[in-house]
Amino acid sequence: RCGIGEDAQHMLEIVDLHAAIDQTEILNGINLKINPGELHAIMGPNGSGKSTLANVLAGHPSYTVTAGKVSFNGADLLAMLPEDRAKSGVFLSFQHPIEIPGVRLDQFLRAGFNAIRKSRAEEELDPLKFDRLVRDKIKIVEMDASLTKRYVNVGFSGGEKKRNEILQMAVLEPRLSILDEPDSGLDIDAVKEVAEGINLQRRPDNSTILVTHY
């Protein structure tokens, strides 16, 4: 873990978190405090609950929290719907990004971006202004700009799918990014590019949970 020190106000605080899927308990008393500006790496063998923790924090409906508390910037995170967690600044990148036929990536990104701005009573961006914003963000992740005109992840390589996840992170600018194995299935060069994209987005006011084997 690297960060700015223990005296900062906690952005995320997890207290004695228990969670299950299909009545099988996976998380058994997780405690974690994250301050603004910190990156926490969560490592462990397969089946140890890393992805479960990520999905629980994002509000995945297949997981049931059986005990414990989670606060995010002082609010009860577990009481929020997934979309409200996203609007408040929580972002999850998937270990296995899904394909969404019929939905163009740039339109998908603009819908999410404007939904967050609307929740903050900010002006929504029209397609031209948003296109300029996306072009700037694409440079961060070294992604082929033509992919934004294609359906979400359809026909994308493994590396392109992971870069797309980091592009979404760059566009939405979350307060807390939960990255579920962004390095899985990538060759060493692609891992370096994705890692650089993540590092370029670190700021004193945001934090990252990085689930990884490496």
Side-chain angles (χ1 to χ4, degrees):
R1 187 191 73 172
C2 48
I4 60 175
E6 295 297 328
D7 56 345
Q9 180 182 2
H10 301 311
M11 175 183 291
L12 181 77
E13 183 170 8
I14 303 172
V15 179
D16 194 31
L17 181 64
H18 294 245
I21 184 169
D22 296 330
Q23 299 183 332
T24 300
E25 188 168 72
I26 306 297
L27 302 183
N28 184 19
I30 299 295
N31 294 281
L32 177 64
K33 295 178 181 178
I34 298 179
N35 299 321
E38 291 184 342
L39 184 150
H40 290 243
I42 297 181
M43 305 179 71
N46 289 331
S48 59
K50 304 183 302 299
S51 293
T52 295
L53 176 61
N55 281 296
V56 166
L57 294 177
H60 195 298
S62 295
Y63 298 84
T64 302
V65 174
T66 56
K69 298 185 295 184
V70 180
S71 64
F72 177 63
N73 290 325
D76 182 359
L77 186 70
L78 299 180
M80 298 182 189
L81 294 170
E83 58 266 35
D84 293 327
R85 300 183 197 197
K87 290 174 183 176
S88 70
V90 176
F91 172 82
L92 171 65
S93 79
F94 294 111
Q95 181 179 351
H96 303 292
I98 63 170
E99 298 181 0
I100 311 178
V103 179
R104 240 172 56 174
L105 177 55
D106 56 352
Q107 296 170 347
F108 173 78
L109 288 170
R110 189 165 73 91
F113 179 85
N114 279 334
I116 291 174
R117 288 182 67 89
K118 186 177 180 180
S119 73
R120 298 171 180 168
E122 297 174 355
E123 183 182 358
E124 298 180 31
L125 292 191
D126 62 39
L128 288 177
K129 291 181 180 178
F130 183 75
D131 189 57
R132 287 195 291 270
L133 181 146
V134 169
R135 285 202 300 269
D136 290 338
K137 300 297 186 181
I138 283 174
K139 298 174 185 176
I140 295 176
V141 297
E142 299 183 18
M143 182 173 167
D144 183 350
S146 68
L147 294 176
T148 63
K149 306 303 180 183
R150 291 166 53 180
Y151 296 150
V152 178
N153 290 324
V154 175
F156 286 24
S157 68
E160 288 168 343
K161 288 181 178 179
K162 292 304 176 78
R163 288 189 185 90
N164 176 22
E165 295 290 289
I166 305 306
L167 174 62
Q168 292 175 46
M169 174 183 167
V171 169
L172 300 178
E173 296 187 339
R175 297 290 307 283
L176 176 66
S177 297
I178 307 164
L179 310 180
D180 191 1
E181 297 194 25
D183 48 8
S184 67
L186 303 183
D187 61 33
I188 187 63
D189 291 330
V191 169
K192 289 179 180 178
E193 291 170 358
V194 168
E196 183 178 1
I198 293 169
N199 282 326
L200 286 172
Q201 297 180 65
R202 294 188 61 195
R203 304 188 309 270
D205 63 340
N206 67 19
S207 300
T208 303
I209 296 175
L210 178 64
V211 175
T212 181
H213 286 290
Y214 304 104

